[in-house]
Amino acid sequence: MSSTNNAIILVARVFLSAMFILSGFGKLADPAGTAGMIAQAGMPAATALAYLAGLFELVSGLAVLIGFQTRLAGWALAAFCVFTGVVFHGHAINVPGFPDAANGFLSTMNQIMFMKNLTLAGAYAMLATFGPGAYSLDARRGSYKPAIA
């Protein structure tokens, strides 16, 4: 693989990791909003799950950033994106007492978040399949084998 392709993969890893590093840190610093969404979805132990989600996002985001266990992190994040997309963003929003236009706007935003999650799942599946590139900790450790010669 060319050095240009490896540089592009590195830049893609930076972009793909930033959201989860920042989101994970935010959940760990203040889990209340995430815990509320988890509780509203009917899941138990919402605060504990918010902390676990934050830890998962932070650790897996850092793994992608530095290219460590990248394939495992990629598959885990792809599954996480599909799960959270379906559970938290796979439905219309209807807040009682809100005007129809406001609920329509919220539903549109939720649909965009759902599509974002599916798009990210595809990107993470691709990263898991093709690997982190030469500019990664996996490559330095000798555990990266390019999927395509």
Short mmCIF file of all heavy atoms in Angstrom, two decimals, residues 78-132:
data_model
loop_
_atom_site.label_atom_id
_atom_site.label_comp_id
_atom_site.label_asym_id
_atom_site.label_seq_id
_atom_site.Cartn_x
_atom_site.Cartn_y
_atom_site.Cartn_z
N ALA A 78 -18.74 -0.65 15.16
CA ALA A 78 -19.79 -0.86 14.14
C ALA A 78 -21.05 -1.42 14.81
O ALA A 78 -22.16 -0.93 14.56
CB ALA A 78 -19.29 -1.80 13.05
N ALA A 79 -20.89 -2.41 15.67
CA ALA A 79 -22.04 -3.00 16.37
C ALA A 79 -22.68 -1.97 17.30
O ALA A 79 -23.92 -1.86 17.36
CB ALA A 79 -21.60 -4.23 17.17
N PHE A 80 -21.87 -1.19 18.00
CA PHE A 80 -22.37 -0.15 18.90
C PHE A 80 -23.20 0.87 18.12
O PHE A 80 -24.27 1.29 18.58
CB PHE A 80 -21.18 0.52 19.59
CG PHE A 80 -21.54 1.57 20.59
CD1 PHE A 80 -21.94 1.24 21.88
CD2 PHE A 80 -21.47 2.92 20.26
CE1 PHE A 80 -22.26 2.21 22.81
CE2 PHE A 80 -21.78 3.90 21.18
CZ PHE A 80 -22.18 3.55 22.46
N CYS A 81 -22.71 1.28 16.95
CA CYS A 81 -23.43 2.27 16.14
C CYS A 81 -24.78 1.74 15.66
O CYS A 81 -25.78 2.46 15.69
CB CYS A 81 -22.58 2.69 14.95
SG CYS A 81 -21.20 3.76 15.38
N VAL A 82 -24.81 0.48 15.24
CA VAL A 82 -26.09 -0.11 14.80
C VAL A 82 -27.04 -0.20 15.99
O VAL A 82 -28.21 0.20 15.91
CB VAL A 82 -25.88 -1.48 14.14
CG1 VAL A 82 -27.21 -2.18 13.91
CG2 VAL A 82 -25.11 -1.33 12.83
N PHE A 83 -26.56 -0.71 17.12
CA PHE A 83 -27.40 -0.86 18.31
C PHE A 83 -27.96 0.48 18.76
O PHE A 83 -29.17 0.63 18.94
CB PHE A 83 -26.60 -1.51 19.45
CG PHE A 83 -27.35 -1.54 20.75
CD1 PHE A 83 -28.32 -2.49 20.98
CD2 PHE A 83 -27.10 -0.60 21.74
CE1 PHE A 83 -29.04 -2.52 22.17
CE2 PHE A 83 -27.80 -0.61 22.94
CZ PHE A 83 -28.77 -1.58 23.15
N THR A 84 -27.09 1.48 18.93
CA THR A 84 -27.57 2.77 19.42
C THR A 84 -28.45 3.46 18.38
O THR A 84 -29.40 4.17 18.75
CB THR A 84 -26.41 3.69 19.84
OG1 THR A 84 -25.51 3.86 18.74
CG2 THR A 84 -25.68 3.12 21.05
N GLY A 85 -28.18 3.25 17.11
CA GLY A 85 -29.04 3.82 16.07
C GLY A 85 -30.45 3.27 16.15
O GLY A 85 -31.43 4.02 16.13
N VAL A 86 -30.56 1.95 16.26
CA VAL A 86 -31.87 1.32 16.32
C VAL A 86 -32.60 1.66 17.62
O VAL A 86 -33.77 2.05 17.61
CB VAL A 86 -31.75 -0.22 16.15
CG1 VAL A 86 -33.06 -0.92 16.46
CG2 VAL A 86 -31.26 -0.56 14.74
N VAL A 87 -31.91 1.54 18.74
CA VAL A 87 -32.57 1.72 20.04
C VAL A 87 -32.92 3.19 20.32
O VAL A 87 -34.01 3.49 20.81
CB VAL A 87 -31.69 1.16 21.18
CG1 VAL A 87 -32.24 1.52 22.55
CG2 VAL A 87 -31.58 -0.36 21.05
N PHE A 88 -32.01 4.11 20.00
CA PHE A 88 -32.21 5.50 20.40
C PHE A 88 -32.65 6.43 19.27
O PHE A 88 -33.17 7.51 19.54
CB PHE A 88 -30.95 6.05 21.06
CG PHE A 88 -30.57 5.31 22.31
CD1 PHE A 88 -29.47 4.47 22.33
CD2 PHE A 88 -31.33 5.43 23.45
CE1 PHE A 88 -29.12 3.77 23.47
CE2 PHE A 88 -31.01 4.73 24.61
CZ PHE A 88 -29.90 3.90 24.62
N HIS A 89 -32.43 6.02 18.02
CA HIS A 89 -32.74 6.93 16.92
C HIS A 89 -33.64 6.32 15.85
O HIS A 89 -33.89 6.95 14.84
CB HIS A 89 -31.44 7.42 16.25
CG HIS A 89 -30.49 8.06 17.20
ND1 HIS A 89 -30.80 9.22 17.89
CD2 HIS A 89 -29.25 7.71 17.60
CE1 HIS A 89 -29.79 9.55 18.67
NE2 HIS A 89 -28.83 8.66 18.51
N GLY A 90 -34.14 5.13 16.08
CA GLY A 90 -34.92 4.44 15.06
C GLY A 90 -36.42 4.65 15.17
O GLY A 90 -37.20 3.77 14.81
N HIS A 91 -36.84 5.82 15.61
CA HIS A 91 -38.27 6.07 15.78
C HIS A 91 -38.56 7.56 15.67
O HIS A 91 -37.67 8.39 15.79
CB HIS A 91 -38.73 5.56 17.15
CG HIS A 91 -37.98 6.19 18.28
ND1 HIS A 91 -36.74 5.75 18.69
CD2 HIS A 91 -38.28 7.25 19.07
CE1 HIS A 91 -36.31 6.51 19.70
NE2 HIS A 91 -37.23 7.42 19.95
N ALA A 92 -39.82 7.87 15.45
CA ALA A 92 -40.26 9.27 15.41
C ALA A 92 -40.33 9.81 16.83
O ALA A 92 -40.50 9.07 17.79
CB ALA A 92 -41.62 9.36 14.74
N ILE A 93 -40.20 11.11 16.96
CA ILE A 93 -40.29 11.80 18.25
C ILE A 93 -41.67 12.45 18.35
O ILE A 93 -42.13 13.09 17.41
CB ILE A 93 -39.20 12.89 18.37
CG1 ILE A 93 -37.80 12.31 18.17
CG2 ILE A 93 -39.33 13.65 19.68
CD1 ILE A 93 -37.32 11.42 19.28
N ASN A 94 -42.31 12.25 19.49
CA ASN A 94 -43.60 12.89 19.73
C ASN A 94 -43.64 13.34 21.19
O ASN A 94 -43.98 12.57 22.07
CB ASN A 94 -44.76 11.95 19.41
CG ASN A 94 -46.09 12.67 19.53
OD1 ASN A 94 -46.15 13.89 19.57
ND2 ASN A 94 -47.16 11.90 19.58
N VAL A 95 -43.28 14.58 21.42
CA VAL A 95 -43.29 15.13 22.77
C VAL A 95 -44.67 15.71 23.02
O VAL A 95 -45.09 16.63 22.31
CB VAL A 95 -42.19 16.21 22.94
CG1 VAL A 95 -42.24 16.80 24.35
CG2 VAL A 95 -40.82 15.64 22.62
N PRO A 96 -45.39 15.19 24.00
CA PRO A 96 -46.73 15.72 24.28
C PRO A 96 -46.68 17.22 24.58
O PRO A 96 -45.81 17.69 25.30
CB PRO A 96 -47.17 14.93 25.53
CG PRO A 96 -46.35 13.68 25.50
CD PRO A 96 -45.03 14.07 24.88
N GLY A 97 -47.60 17.94 23.96
CA GLY A 97 -47.68 19.37 24.17
C GLY A 97 -46.83 20.19 23.21
O GLY A 97 -46.97 21.41 23.16
N PHE A 98 -45.92 19.54 22.48
CA PHE A 98 -45.12 20.27 21.49
C PHE A 98 -45.95 20.46 20.24
O PHE A 98 -46.75 19.61 19.87
CB PHE A 98 -43.85 19.49 21.13
CG PHE A 98 -42.66 19.76 22.02
CD1 PHE A 98 -42.80 20.07 23.36
CD2 PHE A 98 -41.38 19.67 21.51
CE1 PHE A 98 -41.71 20.30 24.16
CE2 PHE A 98 -40.28 19.89 22.30
CZ PHE A 98 -40.44 20.21 23.63
N PRO A 99 -45.72 21.56 19.53
CA PRO A 99 -46.40 21.74 18.24
C PRO A 99 -45.97 20.66 17.25
O PRO A 99 -44.87 20.12 17.35
CB PRO A 99 -45.93 23.12 17.76
CG PRO A 99 -45.32 23.78 18.95
CD PRO A 99 -44.88 22.69 19.89
N ASP A 100 -46.85 20.37 16.30
CA ASP A 100 -46.53 19.35 15.29
C ASP A 100 -45.23 19.67 14.56
O ASP A 100 -44.43 18.77 14.28
CB ASP A 100 -47.67 19.22 14.27
CG ASP A 100 -48.90 18.55 14.86
OD1 ASP A 100 -48.77 17.89 15.92
OD2 ASP A 100 -49.98 18.68 14.25
N ALA A 101 -45.00 20.94 14.26
CA ALA A 101 -43.77 21.32 13.55
C ALA A 101 -42.54 21.01 14.39
O ALA A 101 -41.53 20.56 13.86
CB ALA A 101 -43.82 22.80 13.19
N ALA A 102 -42.61 21.22 15.70
CA ALA A 102 -41.46 20.94 16.57
C ALA A 102 -41.21 19.44 16.63
O ALA A 102 -40.06 18.98 16.55
CB ALA A 102 -41.70 21.50 17.97
N ASN A 103 -42.27 18.65 16.79
CA ASN A 103 -42.10 17.19 16.79
C ASN A 103 -41.59 16.70 15.44
O ASN A 103 -40.77 15.78 15.38
CB ASN A 103 -43.42 16.49 17.15
CG ASN A 103 -43.66 16.49 18.64
OD1 ASN A 103 -42.74 16.33 19.44
ND2 ASN A 103 -44.91 16.67 19.03
N GLY A 104 -42.05 17.32 14.36
CA GLY A 104 -41.55 16.95 13.03
C GLY A 104 -40.07 17.24 12.90
O GLY A 104 -39.30 16.43 12.36
N PHE A 105 -39.64 18.40 13.40
CA PHE A 105 -38.23 18.75 13.37
C PHE A 105 -37.41 17.75 14.19
O PHE A 105 -36.36 17.28 13.73
CB PHE A 105 -38.02 20.18 13.90
CG PHE A 105 -36.58 20.55 14.04
CD1 PHE A 105 -35.83 20.89 12.91
CD2 PHE A 105 -35.96 20.57 15.27
CE1 PHE A 105 -34.49 21.23 13.03
CE2 PHE A 105 -34.63 20.92 15.40
CZ PHE A 105 -33.89 21.25 14.28
N LEU A 106 -37.87 17.43 15.40
CA LEU A 106 -37.15 16.47 16.25
C LEU A 106 -37.09 15.10 15.59
O LEU A 106 -36.07 14.41 15.66
CB LEU A 106 -37.81 16.38 17.62
CG LEU A 106 -37.70 17.63 18.50
CD1 LEU A 106 -38.52 17.46 19.77
CD2 LEU A 106 -36.25 17.95 18.81
N SER A 107 -38.17 14.69 14.94
CA SER A 107 -38.18 13.40 14.25
C SER A 107 -37.20 13.39 13.08
O SER A 107 -36.50 12.40 12.85
CB SER A 107 -39.59 13.06 13.75
OG SER A 107 -40.44 12.81 14.86
N THR A 108 -37.13 14.50 12.36
CA THR A 108 -36.17 14.61 11.26
C THR A 108 -34.74 14.53 11.78
O THR A 108 -33.90 13.83 11.21
CB THR A 108 -36.39 15.93 10.49
OG1 THR A 108 -37.70 15.91 9.93
CG2 THR A 108 -35.37 16.10 9.37
N MET A 109 -34.46 15.24 12.86
CA MET A 109 -33.13 15.19 13.45
C MET A 109 -32.80 13.77 13.93
O MET A 109 -31.67 13.30 13.77
CB MET A 109 -33.00 16.18 14.61
CG MET A 109 -33.07 17.64 14.18
SD MET A 109 -31.89 18.08 12.88
CE MET A 109 -30.35 17.80 13.73
N ASN A 110 -33.77 13.09 14.51
CA ASN A 110 -33.55 11.72 14.97
C ASN A 110 -33.27 10.79 13.79
O ASN A 110 -32.43 9.90 13.88
CB ASN A 110 -34.75 11.24 15.79
CG ASN A 110 -34.35 10.27 16.86
OD1 ASN A 110 -33.30 10.38 17.46
ND2 ASN A 110 -35.20 9.29 17.10
N GLN A 111 -33.98 11.01 12.68
CA GLN A 111 -33.73 10.20 11.48
C GLN A 111 -32.32 10.46 10.94
O GLN A 111 -31.63 9.52 10.52
CB GLN A 111 -34.77 10.51 10.40
CG GLN A 111 -34.58 9.67 9.14
CD GLN A 111 -35.57 10.04 8.06
OE1 GLN A 111 -36.12 11.13 8.04
NE2 GLN A 111 -35.80 9.11 7.14
N ILE A 112 -31.88 11.70 10.98
CA ILE A 112 -30.51 12.02 10.55
C ILE A 112 -29.50 11.32 11.45
O ILE A 112 -28.50 10.77 10.98
CB ILE A 112 -30.30 13.54 10.52
CG1 ILE A 112 -31.11 14.16 9.38
CG2 ILE A 112 -28.82 13.90 10.40
CD1 ILE A 112 -31.20 15.68 9.43
N MET A 113 -29.76 11.32 12.75
CA MET A 113 -28.86 10.63 13.69
C MET A 113 -28.83 9.13 13.41
O MET A 113 -27.78 8.49 13.49
CB MET A 113 -29.29 10.90 15.14
CG MET A 113 -29.20 12.36 15.54
SD MET A 113 -27.55 13.03 15.43
CE MET A 113 -26.84 12.31 16.89
N PHE A 114 -29.98 8.56 13.08
CA PHE A 114 -30.04 7.13 12.72
C PHE A 114 -29.18 6.85 11.50
O PHE A 114 -28.37 5.92 11.49
CB PHE A 114 -31.49 6.73 12.47
CG PHE A 114 -31.66 5.30 12.03
CD1 PHE A 114 -31.56 4.27 12.94
CD2 PHE A 114 -31.93 5.00 10.71
CE1 PHE A 114 -31.71 2.95 12.54
CE2 PHE A 114 -32.09 3.69 10.29
CZ PHE A 114 -31.97 2.66 11.21
N MET A 115 -29.33 7.68 10.47
CA MET A 115 -28.54 7.48 9.25
C MET A 115 -27.06 7.70 9.51
O MET A 115 -26.21 6.99 8.96
CB MET A 115 -29.05 8.39 8.14
CG MET A 115 -30.43 7.99 7.64
SD MET A 115 -31.04 8.96 6.25
CE MET A 115 -31.30 10.55 6.98
N LYS A 116 -26.72 8.66 10.38
CA LYS A 116 -25.32 8.90 10.76
C LYS A 116 -24.75 7.65 11.41
O LYS A 116 -23.64 7.23 11.12
CB LYS A 116 -25.23 10.11 11.69
CG LYS A 116 -23.85 10.44 12.20
CD LYS A 116 -23.56 10.13 13.64
CE LYS A 116 -24.67 10.21 14.63
NZ LYS A 116 -24.34 9.56 15.91
N ASN A 117 -25.52 7.04 12.30
CA ASN A 117 -25.04 5.83 12.97
C ASN A 117 -24.79 4.70 11.98
O ASN A 117 -23.79 3.99 12.08
CB ASN A 117 -26.03 5.39 14.05
CG ASN A 117 -25.84 6.14 15.35
OD1 ASN A 117 -25.52 7.32 15.36
ND2 ASN A 117 -26.04 5.47 16.45
N LEU A 118 -25.71 4.52 11.04
CA LEU A 118 -25.51 3.45 10.04
C LEU A 118 -24.31 3.75 9.15
O LEU A 118 -23.55 2.83 8.80
CB LEU A 118 -26.77 3.27 9.20
CG LEU A 118 -27.98 2.70 9.92
CD1 LEU A 118 -29.12 2.47 8.93
CD2 LEU A 118 -27.65 1.43 10.67
N THR A 119 -24.11 5.01 8.80
CA THR A 119 -22.95 5.40 8.00
C THR A 119 -21.66 5.12 8.75
O THR A 119 -20.71 4.55 8.20
CB THR A 119 -23.04 6.89 7.61
OG1 THR A 119 -24.25 7.10 6.89
CG2 THR A 119 -21.85 7.32 6.79
N LEU A 120 -21.63 5.49 10.03
CA LEU A 120 -20.45 5.21 10.84
C LEU A 120 -20.22 3.71 10.98
O LEU A 120 -19.07 3.25 10.96
CB LEU A 120 -20.59 5.84 12.22
CG LEU A 120 -20.34 7.34 12.30
CD1 LEU A 120 -20.72 7.87 13.67
CD2 LEU A 120 -18.89 7.66 11.98
N ALA A 121 -21.28 2.94 11.12
CA ALA A 121 -21.13 1.48 11.22
C ALA A 121 -20.44 0.94 9.97
O ALA A 121 -19.56 0.08 10.06
CB ALA A 121 -22.49 0.81 11.42
N GLY A 122 -20.82 1.46 8.80
CA GLY A 122 -20.17 1.04 7.56
C GLY A 122 -18.70 1.42 7.54
O GLY A 122 -17.84 0.62 7.12
N ALA A 123 -18.38 2.62 7.99
CA ALA A 123 -16.98 3.06 8.02
C ALA A 123 -16.16 2.20 8.98
O ALA A 123 -15.03 1.81 8.67
CB ALA A 123 -16.90 4.53 8.41
N TYR A 124 -16.73 1.90 10.14
CA TYR A 124 -16.00 1.06 11.11
C TYR A 124 -15.86 -0.37 10.62
O TYR A 124 -14.83 -1.01 10.86
CB TYR A 124 -16.67 1.12 12.48
CG TYR A 124 -16.32 2.37 13.23
CD1 TYR A 124 -17.28 3.32 13.52
CD2 TYR A 124 -15.01 2.63 13.63
CE1 TYR A 124 -16.95 4.48 14.19
CE2 TYR A 124 -14.68 3.79 14.30
CZ TYR A 124 -15.65 4.71 14.57
OH TYR A 124 -15.31 5.85 15.23
N ALA A 125 -16.87 -0.90 9.92
CA ALA A 125 -16.74 -2.24 9.35
C ALA A 125 -15.64 -2.26 8.29
O ALA A 125 -14.87 -3.23 8.19
CB ALA A 125 -18.08 -2.68 8.74
N MET A 126 -15.54 -1.19 7.50
CA MET A 126 -14.49 -1.11 6.50
C MET A 126 -13.12 -1.04 7.18
O MET A 126 -12.17 -1.71 6.76
CB MET A 126 -14.70 0.11 5.60
CG MET A 126 -13.77 0.13 4.40
SD MET A 126 -14.04 1.53 3.31
CE MET A 126 -15.75 1.30 2.86
N LEU A 127 -13.01 -0.23 8.24
CA LEU A 127 -11.75 -0.14 8.99
C LEU A 127 -11.38 -1.50 9.58
O LEU A 127 -10.22 -1.92 9.52
CB LEU A 127 -11.87 0.91 10.09
CG LEU A 127 -10.62 1.15 10.93
CD1 LEU A 127 -9.49 1.74 10.08
CD2 LEU A 127 -10.95 2.08 12.10
N ALA A 128 -12.37 -2.20 10.12
CA ALA A 128 -12.12 -3.52 10.70
C ALA A 128 -11.67 -4.52 9.63
O ALA A 128 -10.82 -5.37 9.88
CB ALA A 128 -13.37 -4.03 11.42
N THR A 129 -12.22 -4.40 8.45
CA THR A 129 -11.89 -5.32 7.37
C THR A 129 -10.51 -5.05 6.78
O THR A 129 -9.72 -5.98 6.58
CB THR A 129 -12.95 -5.23 6.24
OG1 THR A 129 -14.21 -5.59 6.80
CG2 THR A 129 -12.62 -6.16 5.09
N PHE A 130 -10.20 -3.79 6.53
CA PHE A 130 -8.96 -3.44 5.84
C PHE A 130 -7.82 -3.05 6.76
O PHE A 130 -6.67 -2.97 6.33
CB PHE A 130 -9.22 -2.35 4.80
CG PHE A 130 -10.07 -2.85 3.67
CD1 PHE A 130 -11.41 -2.51 3.61
CD2 PHE A 130 -9.56 -3.69 2.71
CE1 PHE A 130 -12.22 -2.99 2.59
CE2 PHE A 130 -10.35 -4.18 1.68
CZ PHE A 130 -11.69 -3.83 1.62
N GLY A 131 -8.11 -2.79 8.02
CA GLY A 131 -7.06 -2.52 8.99
C GLY A 131 -6.67 -1.06 9.09
O GLY A 131 -7.15 -0.21 8.34
N PRO A 132 -5.75 -0.77 10.02
CA PRO A 132 -5.41 0.60 10.38
C PRO A 132 -4.35 1.26 9.51
O PRO A 132 -4.04 2.43 9.70
CB PRO A 132 -4.88 0.45 11.80
CG PRO A 132 -4.21 -0.88 11.76
CD PRO A 132 -5.10 -1.73 10.90
#
